[in-house]
Amino acid sequence: MAAHFPIRSLTAISLVLSLAAPAAVAQISSTYHAPKNGWGQPDLQGTYTTATITPLTRDPKLGVRNVLTKAEADALEQATRDQIARADAPTPPEATVKDLKNADCGPDGISGFNCGYNQGWKDPGTKLIDINGEKRASIITSPANGQLPPRVAATGGARRAGRTDNPEGFSLGERCLLSFGSSAGPPMLPLMYNNTYQIVQSKDEIAIDVEMVHDVRHIRLNAEHGPSSVKLWMGDSIGHWEGDTLVVETTNMRPEQGLRGGSPNQKVIEKFRRLGPNSLSYQFTVSDPDTYAAPFSGEVEMRTTKGQVYEYACHEGNYALTGMLAGARAEEKHQAEAGGAAKSGGE
């Protein structure tokens, strides 16, 4: 099921705790201070959603402007509500697959017989990220143009020629090993559904239960990183408190997991801070000199939700992976019987 969550940082924090420190995030109000838990820590516990229509990268037409006007924000949010209403409308019982709107997964990509998901499976939210009254045009805040930095190398990449040769050729999400996209992170980014997170604290550790593919991040407090030769799913996360802000440094991520093909040398700095009783600011900076020409930063709003994190039974009733592998084997057999070379890939 889809989900949601929030966070934010201390006084004038610019979420740039990184090497070549990129430009920065907007300053954060210091008027609110989080309540303390039994260990004297700022209490971040709760269930949150990050569902948002704010994209990772900005519309190039906006240039370096990352704050939308009220009219722009209202128009985008209303268009989203209208789109969802159209997608939720009952399908006429006499309609055939050829009659369905967007049969080729058109602009909204939500309906039609060729679509993987219709609106009933989705929950991307209807609101833009709102930080201290600023409606954001992109999650990326640095570089200033809201785009990812230029790539210096093409690393990683699960979808490649020959990916149907073995299960290992498919993405981690398709194999139900880890969340799709970068939902579990780090950085933890919103998706089209399952955006709920639950934060649980103890004296020495903070755990984040991620709805998508039931991942749990473990953040050890005031500890040291393990050896670089030991790579972990979601990396090795070490946290400490700076006032009301939880600062987390993650290294030693497995090479299959790097954000958009990132390298195993990727480092992520995250900052969590309460903006108020019902929201958090989640800021991150990714440094990956093997993949990107410069670090990049972003900010996500996490909002409290009344719901709980439900089980994501990824493989229950999932015949897609076996079906794709079986289809590839059938294609190879057909080509062999026809006397042609078996085609590798099966995209």
Side-chain angles (χ1 to χ4, degrees):
M1 309 294 294
H4 326 336
F5 84 89
I7 31 197
R8 188 148 248 212
S9 210
L10 185 61
T11 59
I13 292 180
S14 74
L15 126 67
V16 190
L17 208 152
S18 77
L19 306 67
V25 183
Q27 293 182 349
I28 295 168
S29 170
S30 60
T31 57
Y32 179 84
H33 294 282
K36 297 294 192 291
N37 61 19
W39 297 283
Q41 305 166 344
D43 193 347
L44 304 181
Q45 295 186 114
T47 304
Y48 302 93
T49 177
T50 56
T52 182
I53 61 173
T54 298
L56 177 64
T57 57
R58 193 175 313 147
D59 185 337
K61 292 183 296 186
L62 294 171
V64 298
R65 184 165 65 91
N66 196 27
V67 179
L68 297 170
T69 66
K70 185 178 186 304
E72 290 171 330
D74 289 348
L76 285 169
E77 292 180 343
Q78 185 59 54
T80 300
R81 290 191 291 269
D82 292 344
Q83 174 186 309
I84 291 174
R86 293 195 306 270
D88 280 340
T91 301
E94 69 277 7
T96 68
V97 290
K98 294 183 179 180
D99 297 321
L100 296 180
K101 175 172 61 70
N102 297 331
D104 60 347
C105 288
D108 30 13
I110 49 179
S111 56
F113 62 92
N114 286 327
C115 293
Y117 296 87
N118 58 26
Q119 184 61 38
W121 293 101
K122 296 172 59 179
D123 186 15
T126 60
K127 296 182 180 298
L128 294 156
I129 288 173
D130 187 335
I131 303 295
N132 291 335
E134 295 181 349
K135 295 293 183 79
R136 297 290 177 82
S138 68
I139 292 173
I140 296 293
T141 56
S142 174
N145 64 0
Q147 308 301 313
L148 291 170
R151 295 179 70 94
V152 298
T155 56
R159 290 188 177 274
R160 56 187 181 274
R163 78 183 188 101
T164 57
D165 289 349
N166 298 289
E168 292 78 10
F170 290 85
S171 70
L172 300 177
E174 289 171 311
R175 296 164 62 194
C176 294
L177 293 179
L178 206 64
S179 63
F180 296 86
S182 189
S183 179
M188 302 185 302
L189 299 176
L191 298 171
M192 70 174 182
Y193 71 135
N194 288 1
N195 292 303
T196 304
Y197 301 76
Q198 182 176 7
I199 298 177
V200 178
Q201 293 175 236
S202 72
K203 179 182 178 181
D204 302 312
E205 181 176 330
I206 293 175
I208 303 178
D209 183 11
V210 183
E211 181 178 25
M212 182 65 85
V213 192
H214 50 255
D215 299 320
V216 178
R217 289 189 60 191
H218 296 275
I219 300 169
R220 295 179 292 131
L221 297 176
N222 303 314
E224 296 182 357
H225 287 295
S228 60
S229 58
V230 179
K231 305 298 184 185
L232 304 172
W233 296 119
M234 296 171 282
D236 181 22
S237 295
I238 302 298
H240 69 275
W241 293 98
E242 295 182 2
D244 280 359
T245 302
L246 172 66
V247 181
V248 181
E249 179 184 86
T250 299
T251 60
N252 300 347
M253 292 174 65
R254 289 179 62 99
E256 306 97 317
Q257 197 194 338
L259 173 65
R260 298 201 174 186
S263 77
N265 295 322
Q266 174 177 290
K267 177 186 289 187
V268 183
I269 300 292
E270 300 164 286
K271 292 185 177 183
F272 299 79
R273 186 184 189 274
R274 280 194 181 272
L275 294 170
N278 300 313
S279 67
L280 301 176
S281 164
Y282 169 61
Q283 302 176 340
F284 62 87
T285 293
V286 177
S287 299
D288 187 357
D290 292 344
T291 307
Y292 292 99
F296 59 93
S297 301
E299 184 170 23
V300 175
E301 177 193 16
M302 303 175 75
R303 305 178 307 280
T304 56
T305 179
K306 295 180 180 178
Q308 66 188 71
V309 180
Y310 288 92
E311 177 190 12
Y312 187 88
C314 187
H315 267 314
E316 186 175 313
N318 178 12
Y319 305 106
L321 188 59
T322 54
M324 286 185 282
L325 290 169
R329 301 297 81 78
E331 182 182 10
E332 292 166 353
K333 179 180 179 181
H334 174 75
Q335 291 173 343
E337 290 174 346
K343 182 173 72 174
S344 177
E347 286 293 325

